């Protein structure tokens, strides 16, 4: 507890000290001169983030976040090729590490009029959900999402080759990732989770051991999307062959969690309706080694459905609402295969979400609230936050990550001890 406030103050002082000697005009001038000389655009920011846990029943540190981060992005053209390099240098007081993270390093070019190719490290996304992902099987960083980092960090980058074809009848996107990276899951290292083997919520006392993928191509992924616009409505079909993005299996011989094989097939539709935008999306998660639900060491196959709608509710006030359903395939086999005393999931998991966004003070102040609530699990997660743009360079944000639930073993209930409050200050250049 005694280190929490000093960590945040030190971060803020360091950020302010680094920025105070460089005015906005001077920063812009440096960037313009760099572009004039090398033809390369530069942008980035310095940021300090501090977060405090509001409760701590698990074996975790009191501070949920305490970091200073600098991001630098370079982009330019070489002939007909666009290139981008973006990286973060971050000092993290909670993990007690300094890290260099490469978020983007890619080239984009068009070898034919109907074809784009993007190769290298990149952030990938598709699908229609708002913070619910069915056919978007690209990796996420849930740890960043739960501790107050900017929303851009929810999407974890991949080393991939993306090829897009633009035909008259439809568009086709193909993504090849030669080695699975997987999502940044909750392992107990910083945030606690429910461990079914221990039968309780665990933290640093039982950090999840995982067999990390190492074999290129044999542990790779391929994803495809076929899309078409018809009278203002976007239709899409999806296919994925790879692995669960989180370690949803267990190898008892090695005592490690593993990434089981997974195929996903789905579709979506999105268009204007009732003065807003509506979307429907569905997918089937074929958990290849679940043996029809009879393998208790692998997450079973599932059907997933999503319906959403968003529109402006009043001047400078928008609202979005979603209903999500998860259905376990082969539920009887799944329950019969569980060992005695193991907690079975419900066959149906219902989830509702709501997003409200209010713009104030000439849109410089943004108040937002995103809520997940599951009536079947009786648990939920709320993300209220306020973002204020002081100048073109300075931005401050404060928010809360609030988890609740009746049981430790439900999806949101297991994170109850991770509720936290946070603040961020960013200087952009």
């Amino acid at each position: 507890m005694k280190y929490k406030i000093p960590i945040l103050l030190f971060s803020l002082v360091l950020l302010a000290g680094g920025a105070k000697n460089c005015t906005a005009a001077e920063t812009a001038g440096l960037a313009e001169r760099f572009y004039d000389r090398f033809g390369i655009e530069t942008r980035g920011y310095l940021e300090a983030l501090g977060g405090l846990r509001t409760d701590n029943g698990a074996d975790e540190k009191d501070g949920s976040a305490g970091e200073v981060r600098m991001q630098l992005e370079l982009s330019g053209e070489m002939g007909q090729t666009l290139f981008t390099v973006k990286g973060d240098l971050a000092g993290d007081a909670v993990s007690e590490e300094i890290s260099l993270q490469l978020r983007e390093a890619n080239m984009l070019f068009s070898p034919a009029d109907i074809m784009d190719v993007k190769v290298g490290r990149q952030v990938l996304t598709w699908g229609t959900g708002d913070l619910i992902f069915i056919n978007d099987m690209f990796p996420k960083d849930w740890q960043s999402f739960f501790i107050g980092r900017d929303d851009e960090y929810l999407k974890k980058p991949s080393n991939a080759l993306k090829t897009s074809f633009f035909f008259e009848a439809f568009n086709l996107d193909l993504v090849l990732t030669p080695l699975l990276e997987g999502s940044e899951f909750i392992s107990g290292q910083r945030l606690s989770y429910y461990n079914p083997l221990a039968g309780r919520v665990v933290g640093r006392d039982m950090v999840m051991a995982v067999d990390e993928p190492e074999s290129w191509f044999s542990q790779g992924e391929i994803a495809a999307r076929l899309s078409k616009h018809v009278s203002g409505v976007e239709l899409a079909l999806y296919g994925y062959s790879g692995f669960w993005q989180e370690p949803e299996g267990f190898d008892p011989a090695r005592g490690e969690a593993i990434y089981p094989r997974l195929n996903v097939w789905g579709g979506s539709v999105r268009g204007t309706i009732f003065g807003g935008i509506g979307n429907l999306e569905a997918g089937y998660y074929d958990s290849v080694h679940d043996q029809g639900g009879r393998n208790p060491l692998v997450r079973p196959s599932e059907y997933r459905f999503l319906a959403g709608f968003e529109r402006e509710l009043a001047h400078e006030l928008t609202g979005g609402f979603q209903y999500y359903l998860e259905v376990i395939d082969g539920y009887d086999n799944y329950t019969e295969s569980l060992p005695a005393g193991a907690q079975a999931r419900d066959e149906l998991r219902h989830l509702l979400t709501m997003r409200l966004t209010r713009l104030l003070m000439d849109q410089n102040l943004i108040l937002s609230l995103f809520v997940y609530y599951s009536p079947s699990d009786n648990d939920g997660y709320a993300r209220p936050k306020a973002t204020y743009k002081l100048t073109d360079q300075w931005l401050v944000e404060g928010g809360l990550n609030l988890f609740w639930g009746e049981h430790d073993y439900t999806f949101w209930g297991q994170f109850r001890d991770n509720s936290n409050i946070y603040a961020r200050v960013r200087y952009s250049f």
Side-chain angles (χ1 to χ4, degrees):
M1 181 70 181
K2 63 182 179 180
Y3 299 111
K4 292 188 291 188
I5 300 302
I7 286 172
L8 179 56
L9 292 178
F10 175 75
S11 301
L12 296 176
V13 169
L14 187 61
L15 174 60
K20 69 179 183 180
N21 294 322
C22 190
T23 66
E26 289 171 338
T27 304
L30 286 173
E32 289 175 2
R33 286 199 293 275
F34 193 77
Y35 179 79
D36 291 341
R37 178 156 186 161
F38 301 104
I40 298 175
E41 294 186 5
T42 60
R43 62 181 68 87
Y45 61 78
L46 290 166
E47 183 176 272
L49 165 67
L52 306 175
R53 202 179 294 272
T54 59
D55 188 14
N56 194 358
D59 181 21
E60 299 290 357
K61 294 182 178 179
D62 293 330
S64 56
E67 64 185 34
V68 176
R69 177 181 300 271
M70 183 182 76
Q71 182 178 96
L72 181 63
E73 179 180 354
L74 306 177
S75 60
E77 300 180 21
M78 295 178 64
Q80 299 300 311
T81 301
L82 305 177
F83 68 88
T84 301
V85 177
K86 182 193 291 186
D88 286 15
L89 176 64
D92 190 331
V94 176
S95 65
E96 301 178 357
E97 294 177 342
I98 296 176
S99 61
L100 182 61
Q101 303 154 6
L102 186 62
R103 290 191 60 77
E104 291 190 59
N106 58 69
M107 297 187 301
L108 173 64
F109 56 96
S110 301
D113 291 341
I114 63 165
M115 182 179 181
D116 283 349
V117 176
K118 191 173 186 178
V119 59
R121 194 158 183 80
Q122 54 191 295
V123 175
L124 298 158
T125 187
W126 60 39
T128 65
D130 183 6
L131 298 181
I132 289 182
F133 307 98
I134 294 182
N135 292 292
D136 179 345
M137 295 304 300
F138 306 114
K140 316 294 185 300
D141 184 347
W142 295 107
Q143 186 162 269
S144 291
F145 189 63
F146 291 159
I147 64 172
R149 291 188 182 128
D150 189 276
D151 287 352
E152 77 163 287
Y153 290 96
L154 173 59
K155 297 297 180 67
K156 183 180 175 184
S158 304
N159 298 319
L161 169 66
K162 180 181 180 182
T163 307
S164 300
F165 298 91
F166 309 101
F167 303 111
E168 280 193 22
F170 57 83
N171 297 330
L172 175 63
D173 298 300
L174 296 172
V175 177
L176 172 65
T177 306
L179 179 64
L180 171 75
E181 293 201 23
S183 294
E184 191 70 32
F185 56 92
I186 308 305
S187 66
Q189 185 67 50
R190 181 190 295 256
L191 302 176
S192 55
Y193 71 100
Y194 179 78
N195 186 316
L197 297 178
R200 62 179 177 87
V201 172
V202 300
R204 291 180 298 164
D205 58 328
M206 192 175 286
V207 175
M208 188 185 301
V210 179
D211 180 25
E212 297 291 347
E214 296 179 345
S215 302
W216 286 63
F217 299 104
S218 65
Q219 288 185 295
E221 310 163 276
I222 186 167
R225 178 180 66 167
L226 192 69
S227 62
K228 180 179 179 62
H229 283 81
V230 179
S231 301
V233 177
E234 180 193 68
L235 307 172
L237 296 173
Y238 308 86
Y240 169 84
S241 179
F243 300 82
W244 287 91
Q245 288 295 315
E246 298 180 18
E248 300 284 5
F250 185 73
D251 183 343
R254 288 181 293 180
E256 291 181 327
I258 58 173
Y259 293 89
R261 280 211 164 270
L262 176 70
N263 297 322
V264 179
W265 312 103
S268 69
V269 55
R270 175 165 53 189
T272 56
I273 185 172
F274 303 130
I277 298 175
N279 63 288
L280 297 171
E281 186 168 345
Y284 178 66
Y285 280 49
D286 176 15
S287 189
V288 177
H289 298 302
D290 78 331
Q291 301 172 7
R294 298 180 180 85
N295 184 353
L297 301 177
V298 172
R299 181 164 177 160
S301 300
E302 298 170 354
Y303 297 93
R304 298 186 179 190
F305 305 94
L306 175 69
F309 178 71
E310 62 174 327
R311 65 162 295 170
E312 186 175 66
L313 303 176
H315 180 62
E316 305 288 28
L317 174 65
T318 58
F321 308 90
Q322 298 179 115
Y323 167 69
Y324 169 80
L325 175 63
E326 209 171 84
V327 184
I328 295 177
D329 188 18
Y331 186 73
D332 291 341
N333 293 334
Y334 160 71
T335 54
E336 291 171 3
S337 71
L338 291 176
Q343 183 61 49
R345 297 163 52 196
D346 290 340
E347 182 178 11
L348 307 179
R349 177 173 176 251
H350 302 272
L351 183 66
L352 305 170
T353 78
M354 178 187 72
R355 177 190 288 278
L356 296 175
T357 305
R358 181 81 162 100
L359 305 180
L360 299 165
M361 302 174 68
D362 296 328
Q363 300 187 351
N364 288 316
L365 176 62
I366 303 174
L367 303 178
S368 69
L369 171 66
F370 195 98
V371 179
Y372 298 88
Y373 171 64
S374 172
S376 53
D377 287 348
N378 195 21
D379 64 358
Y381 169 42
R383 291 169 50 85
K385 66 179 179 180
T387 306
Y388 184 60
K389 187 177 179 182
L390 293 165
T391 67
D392 288 341
Q393 283 72 44
W394 286 96
L395 179 145
V396 296
E397 180 175 291
L400 176 67
N401 291 292
L402 177 63
F403 303 91
W404 72 90
E406 185 176 356
H407 304 288
D408 287 344
Y409 52 80
T410 59
F411 187 84
W412 299 117
Q414 66 180 314
F415 300 133
R416 281 180 305 186
D417 294 333
N418 297 311
S419 293
N420 62 84
I421 187 169
Y422 68 90
R424 291 195 294 119
V425 181
R426 174 178 291 192
Y427 175 79
S428 300
F429 56 88

